[in-house]
């Protein structure tokens, strides 16, 4: 049976449902911090924390739940896996980033000493972008060579990398920037907010930046195509693979009640539909072209 | 209470699945690009689902859209039913008076 290709997922507090039987369920610590899955679902990388012991763990699983490798790490914060699952990048607090092979070999690492990192990896694993809590953005190639870095602010700023690694969108204070693989600032557009979340479409055609309840949708030349507001606070955003649709989850607190909604827009800013989810939610969208995952 | 759930929707907003996935809150999620697999983090557990398998076990109930003929037939049926009710009402009214 072929699944509807644009299927996307929401986590939420529920109403009536069937009991989902997982393929596997593995305890990996007190708290799962981050995770990522390869394009065809063959590999899953996850980081976790053991709170009392004050240590973390990074694991790679195959689709059967078998541990491929398992490392103890100081405080892993963020993880990302390439589309094929051949390369994994992990950000560890106060240490830096670690670039590993599927077999668990450490290929290269880079020390930062910052408190927090967001790591992104291109589909082919040949590009890595890192945003740190001191407001720096770094860009590495697959051999660990630092191609460029910029200091954008004194605090953490959100970044998002296109699928091929050729573009990096950066959300700053009242601005959105787009940088090339070579570190050129292609453009810088003003927005009316401190950007809290940013996402670039896989092909780099569109960029969405959000803050609070505001959405800004820009094209690849930095023009704001549309802006909108949702009720409540935006929790997560995700592009479809062709960039022509975006999903936004938000939550509105009304007294002791939480009203969660996922809103689905097209690239013209038209609200195609919304779905009431009752509580907070995060969203993930699949590819709309199954052939893409074979790359 | 009641656990957390995983909702699967298609691009038109149609709900395909609504899964109960346990008691602990779900805080991280990743869906494979081919939409066949999803992994979630709930508390300290890492849980992997095969959406392909879940949809095979629990196929979504999709209501077929009525054809033009079915719509016409439904309209005619409604008109006939209302006419019959009206006629019966008039007959009853005459008999009472």
């Amino acid at each position: 049976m072929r699944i509807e290709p644009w299927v996307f997922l929401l986590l939420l507090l529920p109403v009536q449902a069937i009991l989902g039987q997982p393929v596997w369920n593995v305890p990996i610590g007190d708290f799962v911090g981050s995770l990522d899955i390869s394009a065809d679902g063959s590999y899953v990388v996850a980081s976790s924390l053991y709170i009392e012991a004050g240590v973390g763990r990074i694991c790679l699983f195959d689709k059967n739940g078998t541990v491929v490798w398992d490392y103890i790490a100081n405080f892993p914060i963020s993880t990302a896996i390439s589309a094929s699952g051949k390369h994994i990048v992990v950000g560890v607090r106060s240490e830096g980033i670690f670039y590993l092979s599927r077999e668990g070999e450490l290929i290269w690492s880079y020390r930062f000493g910052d408190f927090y990192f967001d790591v992104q990896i291109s589909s082919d694993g040949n590009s890595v972008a890192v945003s740190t809590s001191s407001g720096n953005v770094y860009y590495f190639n697959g051999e660990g060579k630092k191609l460029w870095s910029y200091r954008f602010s004194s605090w953490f700023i959100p970044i998002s990398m296109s699928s091929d690694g050729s573009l990096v969108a950066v959300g700053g204070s009242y601005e959105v920037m787009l940088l090339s693989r070579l570190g050129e600032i292609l453009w810088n557009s003003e927005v009316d907010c401190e950007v809290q979340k940013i996402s670039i479409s896989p092909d780099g055609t569109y960029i969405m930046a959000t803050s609070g309840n505001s959405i800004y949708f820009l094209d690849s030349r930095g023009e704001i195509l549309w802006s909108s507001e949702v009720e409540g606070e935006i929790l997560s955003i995700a592009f479809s693979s062709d960039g022509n649709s975006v999903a936004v989850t938000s939550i509105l607190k009304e007294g002791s009640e939480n009203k969660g909604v996922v809103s689905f827009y097209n690239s013209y800013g038209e609200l195609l539909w919304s779905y009431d989810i009752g509580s907070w939610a995060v969203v993930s969208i699949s590819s709309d072209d199954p052939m893409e995952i074979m790359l | 209470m009641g656990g957390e759930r995983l909702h699967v929707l298609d691009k038109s907003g149609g709900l395909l699945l609504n899964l109960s996935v346990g008691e602990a809150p779900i805080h991280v999620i990743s869906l494979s690009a081919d939409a066949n697999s999803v992994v979630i983090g709930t508390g300290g557990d890492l849980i992997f689902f095969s959406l392909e398998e879940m949809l095979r076990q629990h196929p979504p109930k999709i209501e077929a859209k009525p054809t033009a003929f079915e719509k016409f037939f439904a309209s005619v049926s409604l008109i006939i039913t209302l006419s019959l009710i009206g006629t019966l009402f008039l007959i009853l009214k005459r008999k009472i008076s």
Side-chain angles (χ1 to χ4, degrees):
Chain A
M1 178 182 175
R2 181 175 172 275
I3 291 179
E4 179 71 29
W6 274 54
V7 171
F8 69 91
L9 300 173
L10 304 172
L11 304 180
L12 41 113
L13 276 181
V15 208
Q16 301 162 351
I18 55 176
L19 184 66
Q21 292 298 326
V23 178
W24 49 269
N25 180 346
V26 181
I28 60 169
D30 296 331
F31 186 79
V32 178
S34 66
L35 55 80
D36 199 10
I37 190 167
S38 62
D40 64 357
S42 294
Y43 293 93
V44 172
V45 63
S47 70
S48 67
L49 297 174
Y50 290 92
I51 294 166
E52 283 191 13
V55 295
R57 187 176 169 190
I58 307 158
C59 315
L60 183 72
F61 295 88
D62 67 15
K63 63 181 176 184
N64 301 314
T66 306
V67 177
V68 180
W69 47 258
D70 186 353
Y71 293 126
I72 295 295
N74 180 27
F75 202 121
I77 293 170
S78 50
T79 56
I81 190 168
S82 62
S84 66
K86 282 185 178 176
H87 298 105
I88 294 102
V89 62
V90 180
V92 179
R93 189 178 80 179
S94 305
E95 291 188 9
I97 60 164
F98 298 85
Y99 185 90
L100 301 106
S101 71
R102 183 160 60 201
E103 292 73 31
E105 177 195 3
L106 178 63
I107 298 172
W108 56 267
S109 63
Y110 195 91
R111 299 195 78 81
F112 294 108
D114 282 24
F115 185 78
Y116 182 79
F117 306 99
D118 182 20
V119 295
Q120 310 247 321
I121 190 168
S122 59
S123 291
D124 61 5
N126 287 328
S127 304
V128 172
V130 184
S131 177
T132 75
S133 53
S134 57
N136 290 300
V137 176
Y138 298 84
Y139 190 99
F140 300 88
N141 68 13
E143 284 77 48
K145 182 180 179 185
K146 187 177 80 177
L147 300 184
W148 53 265
S149 66
Y150 277 104
R151 183 176 175 82
F152 287 100
S153 72
S154 57
W155 59 85
F156 175 79
I157 51 173
I159 60 168
S160 179
M161 187 163 65
S162 61
S163 182
D164 65 359
S166 62
L167 299 167
V168 178
V170 178
S173 178
Y174 296 90
E175 61 182 354
V176 174
M177 289 157 280
L178 188 69
L179 285 86
S180 73
R181 189 196 301 269
L182 301 173
E184 303 164 293
I185 296 179
L186 301 175
W187 48 258
N188 184 330
S189 288
E190 287 186 13
V191 292
D192 293 330
C193 63
E194 293 267 1
V195 177
Q196 293 170 337
K197 301 182 194 311
I198 195 163
S199 182
I200 187 168
S201 61
D203 63 0
T205 305
Y206 299 112
I207 291 140
M208 180 164 56
T210 69
S211 179
N213 67 340
S214 301
I215 302 169
Y216 294 88
F217 196 87
L218 300 91
D219 66 13
S220 57
R221 294 173 299 178
E223 287 184 29
I224 298 174
L225 299 180
W226 56 270
S227 62
S228 184
E229 290 185 350
V230 297
E231 280 193 333
E233 187 173 349
I234 294 168
L235 298 173
S236 67
I237 56 178
F239 264 104
S240 63
S241 64
D242 63 0
N244 287 327
S245 312
V246 287
V248 177
T249 63
S250 57
I251 191 160
L252 175 66
K253 293 188 178 179
E254 293 177 332
S256 60
E257 297 284 312
N258 288 326
K259 182 186 171 190
V261 174
V262 57
S263 307
F264 199 67
Y265 299 88
N266 64 16
S267 59
Y268 301 104
E270 295 166 331
L271 178 63
L272 301 180
W273 51 263
S274 62
Y275 183 84
D276 190 354
I277 48 180
S279 182
W280 67 272
V282 291
V283 64
S284 175
I285 302 185
S286 70
S287 167
D288 59 346
D289 183 355
M291 291 305 292
E292 288 178 5
I293 66 166
M294 303 304 291
L295 298 175
Chain B
M1 296 295 287
E4 294 289 342
R5 299 190 184 217
L6 179 68
H7 287 213
V8 184
L9 295 96
D10 64 21
K11 68 174 179 181
S12 62
L15 182 65
L16 300 179
L17 279 175
N18 179 358
L19 308 175
S20 174
V21 292
E23 298 294 324
I26 305 165
H27 51 272
V28 278
I29 186 170
S30 188
L31 173 64
S32 66
D34 64 0
N36 283 335
S37 312
V38 61
V39 62
I40 61 171
T42 165
D45 288 347
L46 189 66
I47 307 177
F48 184 96
F49 293 93
S50 166
L51 290 183
E52 193 174 23
E53 185 61 31
M54 297 299 289
L55 285 171
R56 186 180 292 128
Q57 290 174 4
H58 308 284
K61 293 172 185 172
I62 299 168
E63 291 181 6
K65 287 184 179 176
T67 62
F69 175 75
E70 287 171 331
K71 283 181 183 174
F72 173 74
F73 184 77
S75 302
V76 170
S77 298
L78 181 64
I79 291 167
I80 292 171
T81 305
L82 291 173
S83 301
L84 282 173
I85 291 170
T87 306
L88 287 172
F89 176 75
L90 288 174
I91 291 170
L92 195 64
K93 193 178 173 187
R94 278 181 189 174
K95 284 196 172 181
I96 290 170
S97 61

